[in-house]
Amino acid sequence: MAPGLSTSSQFQENCREDDAGAVFVLESKGNWWHAGFHLTTAIVGPLILTLPYAFRGLGWILGFFCLTVMGVVTFYSYYLMSKVLDHCEKEGRRHIRFRELAGDIFGSGWMFYFVIFIQTAINTGVGIGAILLAADSLKIMYSNLSPDGPLKLYHFIAMVTLVMIVLSQLPSFHSLRYINLGSLLLSLGYTSLVVGACIHAGYSQNAPPKDYSLDPSQSTKAFDAFTSISILAAIFGNGILPEIQATMAPPATGKMVKGLLMCYTVIVFTFYPAALSGYWAFGSKSSSNILKSLLPDNGPSLAPTWVLGLAVVFVIFQLFAIGLVYSQVAYEIMEKKSANVKEGMFSKRNLIPRLLLRTLYMIFCAFFAAMLPFFGDISGVVGAIGFIPLDFILPMLLYNMTHKPPRSSLTYWINITIMVVFTGAGIMGTFSSIRKLVLDANKFKLFSSDVID
């Protein structure tokens, strides 16, 4: 018996031998720092570039407050989720999938299917968003270097997708560990470059006038605020935490907390500088991708081109890692049905279905990225519908159900309060995000070459 495993836990590990999705995609070989790399890639990504855009719907004070609250609450939420997973593991039920955990705690009722739905929406939405942002970043640089060039957004989407198809053949989540270490370093790199560029732009003579006013209409102001909150939820979100814990060698107890501390240390050094410098430089003119503000369609670049070019390269490389991380759940589902665990991971029997299915999945994401280029709006909708329930409600509910803190305890009421507040925020964020998506639908045609703010 492996050290630290109970008899029932060892039995579960043996049962995984017949589960190709678990054996091939969610192989459990990692250490806590590998989990830290995965978590950082899942949370600290180029969505950082939308932080000034989120601030423009909130203003200075409320923006800083909401950013801080989101950080504190999500760290607490992920901490509780790790405690739930540790609790189950100690009882001999080591869960490697979110739907598996939901089935254990909630049974096979509607909550089980709700978790499956929102996790699927998150992973697919992030996959689409990663391709779209990488392509848009390439297009921004291309348009700056060749303003009258013939290439359109969908051409860059095709280029990005081709690279993603090749990288998607890495067989397991664990095999991404060094790619995700590189992703962590890239996030620090492009954040530093973008912050420097925003400070340079803020002092530039060509910078737009600094205007931090919100919309004069009270109703529009409220809708903008809830949309921004939804975007912040998407930026902090990480809907596949059980799958990340699954990549660690058992027993995984306590390891996720160390990974979270690594991740949130990186967050402090990336989120705040990017949000504050970008909003300071552009205010209410901040684009959903701050690179577009730094490289306006009309007028000269507001920062050295080489700085922005290097930042774009870093962003694109990291987006490949993010797309891979959020695709793992889809791959695990596909390989559970298509692969034969009795054959080798790289056998012809398993290699051909993996190649075909993962290629088709990437093409599916690319098609929707090209058809609906609403990057900022997609972030808001996914944040409201997916990340808010999964990250701000379910972990507290799961903790209360598994650990059963006394109703007189502070922990119980903190959890209940967070659930109630973010249920309301999720409902309003869903409504406002979908409203903005509908309004923006009048501004573009299918397969447009411009991403709508």
Side-chain angles (χ1 to χ4, degrees):
M1 182 181 296
L5 287 180
S6 66
T7 303
S8 55
S9 184
Q10 180 67 40
F11 175 75
Q12 277 207 341
E13 291 298 311
N14 292 336
C15 289
R16 291 180 61 186
E17 294 178 1
D18 297 324
D19 185 340
V23 172
F24 293 157
V25 182
L26 300 179
E27 59 176 352
S28 302
K29 294 182 178 180
N31 297 305
W32 70 264
W33 56 88
H34 297 147
F37 302 158
H38 298 325
L39 282 166
T40 304
T41 298
I43 300 177
V44 187
L47 276 175
I48 293 171
L49 302 178
T50 69
L51 280 168
Y53 177 77
F55 264 53
R56 88 177 195 180
L58 296 167
W60 279 114
I61 296 175
L62 189 57
F64 187 88
F65 174 77
C66 289
L67 182 63
T68 303
V69 168
M70 288 288 186
V72 172
V73 173
T74 51
F75 182 87
Y76 176 70
S77 174
Y78 301 147
Y79 171 76
L80 291 188
M81 180 64 80
S82 72
K83 298 295 285 184
V84 170
L85 290 165
D86 291 348
H87 173 82
C88 292
E89 183 177 46
K90 288 176 180 177
E91 292 192 345
R93 308 189 314 275
R94 184 170 192 258
H95 295 302
I96 60 173
R97 302 175 175 97
F98 213 138
R99 63 188 184 277
E100 187 177 272
L101 175 64
D104 182 18
I105 306 301
F106 297 126
S108 58
W110 69 270
M111 280 294 292
F112 170 70
Y113 293 102
F114 177 70
V115 170
I116 293 176
F117 170 76
I118 58 177
Q119 189 188 27
T120 302
I122 283 173
N123 285 279
T124 306
V126 173
I128 293 169
I131 291 173
L132 182 56
L133 181 54
D136 190 41
S137 298
L138 279 173
K139 180 177 177 291
I140 289 170
M141 286 300 297
Y142 173 77
S143 299
N144 184 260
L145 297 173
S146 180
D148 300 319
L151 298 183
K152 305 296 182 182
L153 179 63
Y154 60 85
H155 291 119
F156 296 104
I157 289 175
M159 296 176 196
V160 170
T161 303
L162 182 60
V163 176
M164 288 297 298
I165 287 172
V166 174
L167 293 176
S168 70
Q169 299 309 311
L170 289 168
S172 70
F173 206 153
H174 180 63
S175 65
L176 305 182
R177 60 196 182 280
Y178 297 120
I179 288 179
N180 289 338
L181 169 59
S183 169
L184 186 157
L185 299 175
L186 287 168
S187 68
L188 293 171
Y190 68 71
T191 299
S192 300
L193 291 168
V194 168
V195 169
C198 287
I199 293 172
H200 182 278
Y203 287 112
S204 170
Q205 294 181 348
N206 298 316
K210 292 182 174 60
D211 177 15
Y212 307 111
S213 61
L214 303 178
D215 195 285
S217 168
Q218 291 299 317
S219 60
T220 302
K221 187 186 300 184
F223 285 128
D224 288 347
F226 280 110
T227 299
S228 293
I229 290 171
S230 298
I231 292 172
L232 291 177
I235 292 171
F236 273 104
N238 168 36
I240 55 172
L241 189 142
E243 282 78 9
I244 289 176
Q245 182 145 327
T247 67
M248 291 187 293
T253 301
K255 295 177 182 177
M256 282 299 293
V257 176
K258 295 179 182 178
L260 283 170
L261 289 172
M262 176 193 291
C263 174
Y264 274 76
T265 299
V266 177
I267 283 174
V268 170
F269 288 101
T270 53
F271 282 32
Y272 285 95
L276 299 179
S277 64
Y279 188 60
W280 169 78
F282 298 103
S284 59
K285 300 297 182 183
S286 300
S287 298
S288 62
N289 181 345
I290 199 63
L291 292 174
K292 295 179 71 174
S293 298
L294 292 164
L295 286 169
D297 293 333
N298 300 314
S301 170
L302 298 178
T305 302
W306 72 268
V307 171
L308 299 180
L310 188 58
V312 169
V313 171
F314 287 178
V315 164
I316 293 168
F317 283 161
Q318 198 204 22
L319 282 164
F320 294 143
I322 290 171
L324 291 173
V325 165
Y326 278 90
S327 299
Q328 296 307 305
V329 174
Y331 298 160
E332 173 268 312
I333 292 172
M334 291 187 295
E335 296 204 13
K336 185 176 182 179
K337 301 295 184 182
S338 67
N340 185 347
V341 75
K342 296 180 181 179
E343 302 284 344
M345 183 183 292
F346 297 101
S347 67
K348 184 177 179 181
R349 162 66 181 80
N350 291 326
L351 188 61
I352 293 176
R354 181 189 307 139
L355 176 64
L356 292 176
L357 289 172
R358 294 189 181 193
T359 298
L360 288 173
Y361 179 78
M362 282 300 166
I363 292 173
F364 169 83
C365 291
F367 176 79
F368 279 93
M371 185 172 67
L372 302 172
F374 282 169
F375 181 69
D377 293 355
I378 286 174
S379 297
V381 174
V382 171
I385 296 177
F387 285 114
I388 287 181
L390 210 62
D391 296 331
F392 297 92
I393 299 172
L394 282 176
M396 289 69 180
L397 179 60
L398 289 168
Y399 183 87
N400 282 357
M401 292 178 68
T402 55
H403 286 73
K404 296 179 173 58
R407 294 198 174 190
S408 59
S409 67
L410 181 61
T411 299
Y412 178 85
W413 286 106
I414 288 175
N415 292 348
I416 293 295
T417 301
I418 292 173
M419 289 164 59
V420 170
V421 169
F422 281 95
T423 296
I427 292 171
M428 290 301 299
T430 300
F431 181 77
S432 59
S433 299
I434 293 176
R435 170 183 173 273
K436 189 173 188 302
L437 189 66
V438 171
L439 292 175
D440 284 347
N442 297 321
K443 301 178 184 178
F444 86 114
K445 59 182 180 180
L446 293 178
F447 302 100
S448 168
S449 191
D450 295 306
V451 176
I452 305 299
D453 282 341

